Each structure stands twice: as structure tokens, then as C-alpha cells.
Amino acid sequence: MTARAVMVLGTSSHAGKSLLTTALCRIMAQQGHRVAPFKAQNMSLNSAATVEGLEIGRAQALQAEAAGVAPSVHMNPILLKPAGGMTSQVVVRGRIWGKLTASDYHRRRVEELMPAVSESYETLAAQYEVVVLEGAGSPAEINLKQHDIVNMRMAELADASCLLVGDIDRGGVFASLLGTVELLEREEQDRIKGFVINKFRGDITLLSPGIRMMEDRLRKPCLGAIPYFDRLTLEEEDSLGLTDVDARSAAAWLNFDLNRPLRIAVIAFPSFSNFTDFDALRSEPSVALRFCRNIAQLNQADVVILPGSKQTVDDLNWMRAEGLESAVIEHASAGLVVGICGGMQMLGHLILDPEGIETAGCIKGLGLLPIETTMRPSKVTSNGMGQLVTRSLFGQPIQDVALRGYEIHVGETSYLGVARPFAQLTRMSGERSESEADGCITPDTRIFGTYLHGLFDEDSFRHAFIGAAREFYHLAPANEINNWKQRREESLNRLAAAVSQSLDMPRIFGWVGLPYQSEEKTG
């Protein structure tokens, strides 16, 4: 049996394709259908580990969560991870395939990878009732269209009915919708069954004349206007959704009473990866988190976090050039410092690269943790769970809390002297599991590093982390804490409900030959 297919295309990057795909996955799952997401090619530094111990884009992992199924490498067979200098690491079916320039990839290698894309899609189509495909960028990028394997070629392969979404919040939505359709070939235009206005805020009656004119020009129906979502607590596809600091956090940085939020500064590297690691922390009322790119933004921070990096050595050199290295070391003399993945590697004494994975030779780290890292050509990709090795954090006693997350890194870290690991984990990769030490923590527990992404998504650890940090700085205990997992589920349902109410869902379900039951009938 071959799955029915519907595809979400956009007039541009960040038009809302990923979240609309997420919403459709949740809606179809709520209607009782077995549904899977699919994106042939994704460019993102935000990735996740699958149950097979392989790597896919973070957005597809979220879409699988919305569909109520386990994320699979077949949901995102090609992942491009920008590596600087107009090059990207190419990950094919969850494993490193090569490092290519944009020119080499688009002109020479795309056709070579198309069979893997086709096979992954057919694998999903044989297992699921419906596949919701997501495009990338715009299907009308005429300079790249000849070798585009993620938009209209994929729509044809899947025989998908397509909806086109435009972002009205940026302005020019009607021009972008019309221009996109008119730049497509006639048979490609026929695949687009309707269009959607996304991120709308305002009076819908003022939008109606433009919608009617657009329907006349395109000879395609408007399926509806989706409202702008504020603080949805669902991860963005890329760093276009990343803001430095909101008004609440800005005010908190100037607040010095004992009930103030805990101030957390995350170094925003040029190759910052997996920024969704901090979504759960940002949602906490007792936390004011900002992404910092210079010394001034680091002032008054309580906790400094060095996050994941796609180019660890380059980002370490950038820190030095910006004066951030000395600022972090100074903060570490009396404050709290955390390193995640590449950030942990930077906190060590040395980063060795004998095979020239990033840069030949070795580079000195910040020297805050007694570890050193050797870069290896193979990538570690696994899910993990475990416990803290110590019963204290930031010098404060804490209860025994569970840790859970995922590892995606190049590099093998070893301990120096009497270094203590941060945690003992059971790492799961496919059907294999093994117990290993993870990370490192200083004797006074003020500084620690870990390879675990998603560490703060676990409510028990995040609350213990915040509580210990607040106690270290003699701040009052948090008055309010969030249940992040519950909030995510609520956000997915809220997103699905808003999209269901905003769009012509019977028509969309009709494209794939499925009945749609309204909320009144299913409630």
C-alpha cells in the first residue's frame, strides 16, 4: 500500500512550512490516521538523534512527535549542516557523507543522492497511511531549480497535492504568492491546489479584498489565514526564529532584588548549533536568558553557558577575538559556567585535531575543566539517559534526578588527572546500549560540561538546576515552575486547534481522499 501525500510549500524560508507541517501531522493523527512527516533535504544546525542512533533535522523530530510516532532517519534522508566558507557537512541517512561546497553539491552531487531520497520516501509510504511532505525555501528558486530535490520534483515523485504558504508578517505576501506560482511550470502550478496566509494579525475584513483578487489571479482557493502565534514553545527550524532577548529579560537584567529572575547568558557562536537546547529554560518565569555576542551582553550574568557548535575551533577563535574567552574565565573564578557538547570541549585544556577534521594540529582551550578532546572523522549519534555522579550542583545539595537527552558530536573526550565525570549514562544507538561516563564537573561543582543535548527538557533536572543556581546566588526560590513536557503537548494541541479553525480542513483532507470530522463531531 502506498501512502497518500500532501505537501507544504512556502514562498520563502521561515514562511511557516515547518510548523504548518507539524500541525497537519497532529491533526491527521487526532483524526485517527497513521501519519509521518518527510523532508527530502534540510539545511539546519538544529538536529536530533533517532531511535536508530542516526541524525535528522530537529524539525522532523518535532513533526514525528506531533504525529505520535518515533522519529526515523527516513523522515529526513539528507541533512546539510553549514560549516562556513560556503561549505556544508552532508549527512545522508543519518551519517556523514562528505563536506562539499554549495556549487559542488548542487551541480554535481544532488543527482547522486536522489535514489536515497526516493528510497526513504518509499519506505515511509509503505508504512504509513499519509505522508505530509515539507518543501525547503521556495520552489521557485530558478537558479537552483534544475537540481532541486526537495520541492516540485519531490511533489511529483510522491504525487502530492500541494498547498503554498506565505508569511504576511514580513509584508509583500500577495506578490510573493503570485510570483512563486508564475515562476513554476504549468504542470507544477497544477499541483498547487490552494494557498495559505500565515502569521496574520489584525482585522480579517481588511485582508479579504486582497484574498479575492489573489484567488482570481491564481485561479486557486485561499484555504484560510493562520494567526500569528506568540510564545508557542515549539522549536523553530533555524536561527531566523532566534531573538537576542525579549523585554521581560531585558528588564530582569537590571533587577537586583532577591526575587529577580536568574540571569543566564548563552554565548551565541557564529556556528551555534542546537539552540533549541534552551527553549525550556527560556520558558521558565524564574529565568531571564539572553544570547550574547559580546562582552557587554555578558555583564551581570549569573550563569554562562557555552552551547553546541558546528565548528568548535573556529568558534573558540571567535570567542578569543571578541574578548569573550577572558570574560568567561573571569566569570568562572567566582560564578557558574556550563558547557554543552562543543562548548564543553572548549572548556577543556586542549582540542587535538591530528586528522584535520576542523583544523590541523591542536588548540588550547579555556582550561576550566580537566579534559582534552581529540577530533575524530566518525560522528557519535545516540540517545542517552542516566544520573548525576554527584549529589550536589553549584555547591548545593540536590535530589537524585534523571537525565535524558541525545548526543551528536565529532570528538572523543578524555579525562586528565583526577577529573570527575558529570554523569553516568546508558547510551542507546539502534539496538545497542552501553554504560559510559559523560562530561566533567569540577570538585566544587560550579563548572560542568556534558555532551547531552536536550538536557534542560527534563523537568526534574531543569528545576534542580535553577534551584541550585538561585540558591548559590542567595536568590529567593522560584515562585513558579513550568512543566515543559506538558506545555509542549499543550502547544502542539493549541497549534493544531488554531490551524483546524483557520483552514479549510475538509478540502485538504479531500485532496488525499480522507474524510474530516469537525471538532463538534469528534469532541
Side-chain angles (χ1 to χ4, degrees), residues 375-502:
M375 294 299 183
R376 304 294 187 194
S378 60
K379 181 180 288 190
V380 175
T381 309
S382 66
N383 291 279
M385 62 176 65
Q387 305 287 331
L388 288 177
V389 169
T390 67
R391 289 299 182 91
S392 67
L393 188 63
F394 306 143
Q396 314 304 315
I398 61 170
Q399 294 182 345
D400 190 17
V401 294
L403 302 178
R404 187 185 299 269
Y406 58 96
E407 295 182 41
I408 298 176
H409 61 90
V410 174
E412 187 177 290
T413 296
S414 56
Y415 297 109
L416 304 175
V418 293
R420 286 194 301 170
F422 169 67
Q424 190 68 29
L425 301 179
T426 299
R427 290 188 171 98
M428 294 159 290
S429 181
E431 296 181 355
R432 295 182 295 106
S433 65
E434 53 188 14
S435 179
E436 288 190 16
D438 168 72
C440 184
I441 190 166
T442 56
D444 61 7
T445 69
R446 288 189 304 104
I447 303 170
F448 75 83
T450 176
Y451 270 123
L452 277 184
H453 292 289
L455 180 74
F456 297 114
D457 290 356
E458 285 297 305
D459 293 328
S460 59
F461 175 77
R462 185 179 68 259
H463 297 157
F465 175 94
I466 294 169
R470 293 187 67 86
E471 192 171 349
F472 177 86
Y473 285 105
H474 307 293
L475 300 175
N479 290 323
E480 182 183 354
I481 56 176
N482 275 336
N483 184 325
W484 177 247
K485 291 184 178 180
Q486 179 181 327
R487 284 195 66 183
R488 279 178 66 83
E489 190 66 14
E490 290 171 350
S491 290
L492 285 169
N493 288 332
R494 183 160 66 94
L495 172 67
V499 170
S500 293
Q501 294 163 11
S502 302

Side-chain angles (χ1 to χ4, degrees), residues 104-395:
D104 190 26
Y105 176 75
H106 285 287
R107 294 179 179 175
R108 299 179 182 86
R109 302 303 179 93
V110 168
E111 303 301 331
E112 187 178 341
L113 296 175
M114 189 61 196
V117 170
S118 177
E119 186 177 333
S120 282
Y121 178 77
E122 290 168 1
T123 298
L124 290 181
Q127 297 174 351
Y128 292 89
E129 186 180 0
V130 187
V131 178
V132 183
L133 296 87
E134 179 188 343
S138 165
E141 301 290 356
I142 55 178
N143 56 316
L144 301 175
K145 195 164 177 289
Q146 182 181 357
H147 299 292
D148 183 4
I149 62 173
V150 67
N151 289 301
M152 300 316 298
R153 188 191 296 195
M154 197 61 236
E156 182 180 0
L157 187 150
D159 192 22
S161 298
C162 302
L163 60 88
L164 180 65
V165 57
D167 176 5
I168 196 171
D169 196 51
R170 293 185 173 187
V173 68
F174 295 123
S176 61
L177 287 165
L178 180 64
T180 298
V181 173
E182 291 196 347
L183 284 171
L184 298 177
E185 302 297 329
R186 173 62 63 184
E187 60 273 17
E188 295 171 335
Q189 294 178 3
D190 291 342
R191 283 208 173 272
I192 297 179
K193 305 301 183 183
F195 65 92
V196 170
I197 306 293
N198 195 27
K199 304 181 187 178
F200 178 71
R201 32 187 163 188
D203 185 347
I204 192 68
T205 61
L206 299 178
L207 189 63
S208 298
I211 289 176
R212 288 194 296 270
M213 290 177 63
M214 189 57 54
E215 288 179 322
D216 291 340
R217 291 287 298 268
L218 294 178
R219 293 191 288 277
K220 300 179 188 297
C222 177
L223 300 166
I226 301 173
Y228 186 94
F229 292 104
D230 188 32
R231 297 189 180 278
L232 194 58
T233 71
L234 297 175
E235 52 256 41
E236 297 279 3
E237 166 90 324
D238 51 43
S239 57
L240 284 174
L242 190 66
T243 55
D244 288 340
V245 59
D246 60 23
R248 180 181 68 87
S249 293
W253 228 255
L254 301 175
N255 185 346
F256 294 95
D257 67 50
L258 296 182
N259 291 300
R260 68 170 175 80
L262 181 73
R263 296 189 284 255
I264 299 178
V266 178
I267 307 295
F269 299 130
S271 297
F272 189 174
S273 69
N274 289 72
F275 59 83
T276 53
D277 282 345
F278 308 104
D279 286 351
L281 277 175
R282 294 171 78 190
S283 77
E284 289 286 351
S286 64
V287 168
L289 186 147
R290 66 165 37 160
F291 297 101
C292 302
R293 296 178 175 86
N294 56 55
I295 296 175
Q297 293 173 325
L298 212 61
N299 287 340
Q300 307 300 334
D302 298 316
V303 185
V304 174
I305 302 180
L306 279 63
S309 165
K310 179 63 186 67
Q311 297 293 117
T312 304
V313 173
D314 287 349
D315 284 342
L316 180 52
N317 286 330
W318 170 81
M319 279 187 64
R320 288 186 169 131
E322 295 294 323
L324 285 165
E325 178 192 32
S326 57
V328 171
I329 292 173
E330 182 180 352
H331 178 85
S333 64
L336 309 179
V337 177
V338 176
I340 297 175
C341 198
M344 178 187 72
Q345 294 173 346
M346 296 181 199
L347 292 180
H349 286 265
L350 284 176
I351 298 174
L352 308 168
D353 195 357
E355 299 184 57
I357 306 302
E358 289 193 17
T359 182
C362 68
I363 183 170
K364 186 178 179 182
L366 275 65
L368 297 177
L369 289 176
I371 57 174
E372 64 180 28
T373 300
T374 302
M375 294 299 183
R376 304 294 187 194
S378 60
K379 181 180 288 190
V380 175
T381 309
S382 66
N383 291 279
M385 62 176 65
Q387 305 287 331
L388 288 177
V389 169
T390 67
R391 289 299 182 91
S392 67
L393 188 63
F394 306 143

